[in-house]
Amino acid sequence: MTSYASVSELIRGEAPDSPLLCFSPASINERVKQFLTHFPGETGWAVKSNPHPLVVRAVIEAGIRAFDVASRHEIDLILQHCPSATLHFNHPVKAPEDIAYAWHSAGIRSFAIDCPEELEKIDAVLDGAGEEARRDTVLTIRFRNTRPAGTGNYSFDEKFGARPGEAAGLLRRVAGLGYRTGLTFHPGSQNRDPESYATLVDLARGIAAESFARGTAALAHINVGGGFPCFYPGGPEPELKTYFAAIANAASSIACPIICEPGRALVAESANLLTRINLRRKDDPRLYINEGIYGSFMETPFVDFQPPVRAYSADGRPFPEAGTYDDFQIWGATCDSLDRLRMPVSLPSAIGTGDFIEFGMMGAYTNATATHFNGMEPARLIAIDEITSWPVGATAAQIHCE
Ligand SMILES: Cc1ncc(COP(=O)(O)O)c(C=O)c1O
């Protein structure tokens, strides 16, 4: 293994011709610590945000022991790295075979549902396991906000979630069958409105009150989901502590534990993506890089945030921050014309073919969603000790290349 002291040295030493995700476990530690210290309940992690084994290990080493899993593969992955983990199978729509695998083989006792049909699937899997099986299992009803607060980015409420009235009926039915019960929601990814969590916790309290004389005391938990943002330089996102305060405030009269399962907020800031410019045409604002929306940039067409950038020349020297800059269009590596970044990117006017662009905050929903379209390999993830920070902070240090 070769180690490099900076991105500049990495470029000089390796001249990487394919994209690299430079990943820092130390950054995960920092974010996990914030949640473990200040979130008013238990913090889990949504594995789907980055299932790379190095990332999974870093999250576990940072102290996370509860996980939102969406598939058999994620179940096996987490149990392989942390056999004592608590797993919540919170995908609201599951294959019957996966429910059976989760309950019988992996010992999972927590599932999310949002309709009677999904309840029937789970009940059929447990049929024959006896009343004790139901008593051991928490079914958490996913509900949706019927008046979404407009959190700035994509909502999950069109795809999943019972209306509050339906959720109350389902909760009663689930409890009547002998299961333990919970409530959950997802307030929209990269959420920018801490009060939307408070609104949804209030809604959960109302649903529990409609269902049970004991209200929230009858619940095993309220899961406030993911959605917590990461922080782009100069972005409009409030600080995490504002979200924690809003949740703590709304939860002060709740009689059951509060849990959460962020994805992006724990891992987005832990990786930067190093890409190379494969072509700049003369007098043309289009730059063609060796990565794109079928790789690490899958999310960019759908969101209004864009990673910060830093430019390096082909021999690894960072372009000066104070030079002349222009707006460029970034086009992706495949032949597909959809393959481009939606927003223009400000880069040194002199940038050209063979130079490098480092994109920050690329640790969530990047390698996790990358494809092999056009025969191209997803970006390789490598470990670094310290990550480049923005706006003008330290550049990455101690990069380890196999
Ligand atoms: C059930 C569930 N929980 C948590 C998350 C994580 O969301 P985020 O990355 O916005 O925190 C997701 C994302 O898809 C999800 O589906």
Side-chain angles (χ1 to χ4, degrees):
M1 183 189 308
T2 320
S3 290
Y4 298 98
S6 64
V7 170
S8 295
E9 278 198 23
L10 170 75
I11 293 172
R12 266 194 291 279
E14 301 273 322
D17 61 358
S18 52
L20 288 177
L21 273 167
C22 303
F23 162 68
S24 155
S27 151
I28 296 226
N29 244 335
E30 187 45 45
R31 299 290 285 175
V32 168
K33 201 161 92 194
Q34 282 189 47
F35 271 86
L36 292 184
T37 314
H38 300 294
F39 178 76
E42 187 189 26
T43 299
W45 174 53
V47 179
K48 57 181 76 81
S49 56
N50 196 329
H52 192 287
L54 283 183
V55 178
V56 169
R57 272 207 293 276
V59 170
I60 292 166
E61 271 162 28
I64 296 291
R65 292 292 176 274
F67 300 85
D68 158 45
V69 290
S71 62
R72 272 197 232 195
H73 177 81
E74 287 188 357
I75 293 169
D76 291 346
L77 177 70
I78 295 302
L79 291 181
Q80 182 195 337
H81 287 94
C82 184
S84 61
T86 302
L87 304 188
H88 302 278
F89 200 166
N90 279 346
H91 190 325
V93 179
K94 297 164 281 299
E97 296 81 357
D98 290 355
I99 297 169
Y101 181 78
W103 204 89
H104 292 291
S105 304
I108 296 183
R109 296 292 181 266
S110 173
F111 300 83
I113 61 171
D114 70 357
C115 62
E117 294 80 2
E118 189 73 8
L119 166 62
E120 280 151 26
K121 267 197 240 166
I122 293 179
D123 208 47
V125 168
L126 267 63
D127 191 33
E131 270 178 32
E132 210 180 307
R134 287 176 172 163
R135 264 204 311 276
D136 270 1
T137 304
V138 182
L139 297 190
T140 299
I141 315 300
R142 168 111 164 226
F143 68 93
R144 66 182 145 113
N145 192 354
T146 42
R147 279 171 306 193
T151 59
N153 274 286
Y154 54 94
S155 151
F156 283 78
D157 285 346
E158 265 183 86
K159 186 164 184 180
F160 299 123
R163 287 192 199 87
E166 295 166 348
L170 194 51
L171 208 49
R172 274 193 301 273
R173 184 162 162 202
V174 165
L177 285 170
Y179 290 97
R180 298 169 67 211
T181 57
L183 283 167
T184 189
F185 53 82
H186 193 300
S189 208
Q190 188 70 11
N191 181 300
R192 298 197 174 123
D193 177 12
E195 282 308 314
S196 62
Y197 285 83
T199 305
L200 283 152
V201 170
D202 276 346
L203 210 44
R205 191 204 340 259
I207 294 169
E210 197 182 324
S211 307
F212 307 122
R214 294 197 299 138
T216 53
L219 301 178
H221 56 229
I222 293 176
N223 177 350
V224 300
F228 300 91
C230 64
F231 299 93
Y232 293 90
E237 291 79 13
E239 288 180 61
L240 273 181
K241 63 179 185 205
T242 320
Y243 292 80
F244 298 159
I247 293 166
N249 196 24
S252 59
S253 55
I254 296 281
C256 64
I258 297 282
I259 62 176
C260 68
E261 51 185 28
R264 185 190 304 282
L266 295 190
V267 297
E269 289 165 40
S270 69
N272 292 340
L273 177 75
L274 187 62
T275 65
R276 193 176 71 177
I277 299 169
N278 279 342
L279 181 71
R280 177 177 179 183
R281 298 176 200 270
K282 196 166 177 293
D283 301 326
D284 192 312
R286 287 175 297 175
L287 296 180
Y288 298 77
I289 66 170
N290 61 354
E291 180 61 311
I293 68 162
Y294 297 100
S296 304
F297 290 108
M298 181 285 297
E299 244 197 348
T300 49
F302 310 109
V303 297
D304 68 358
F305 47 89
Q306 188 137 302
V309 292
R310 176 169 298 173
Y312 300 84
S313 62
D315 63 3
R317 273 174 301 132
F319 278 85
E321 300 275 343
T324 320
Y325 278 64
D326 285 316
D327 279 351
F328 289 91
Q329 298 165 9
I330 305 286
W331 290 82
T334 68
C335 292
D336 188 348
S337 63
L338 296 177
D339 190 4
R340 62 179 296 186
L341 301 198
R342 193 159 64 100
M343 290 180 258
V345 175
S346 174
L347 287 163
S349 311
I351 202 160
T353 305
D355 293 339
F356 288 83
I357 307 173
E358 184 183 19
F359 293 86
M361 315 180 66
M362 293 290 291
Y365 307 113
T366 48
N367 51 304
T369 52
T371 74
H372 286 81
F373 188 38
N374 277 217
M376 288 165 185
E377 284 292 316
R380 190 157 61 93
L381 191 136
I382 58 170
I384 63 176
D385 288 350
E386 212 176 290
I387 198 148
T388 300
S389 59
W390 271 267
V392 187
T395 56
Q398 293 313 333
I399 304 169
H400 310 296
C401 261
E402 298 265 320

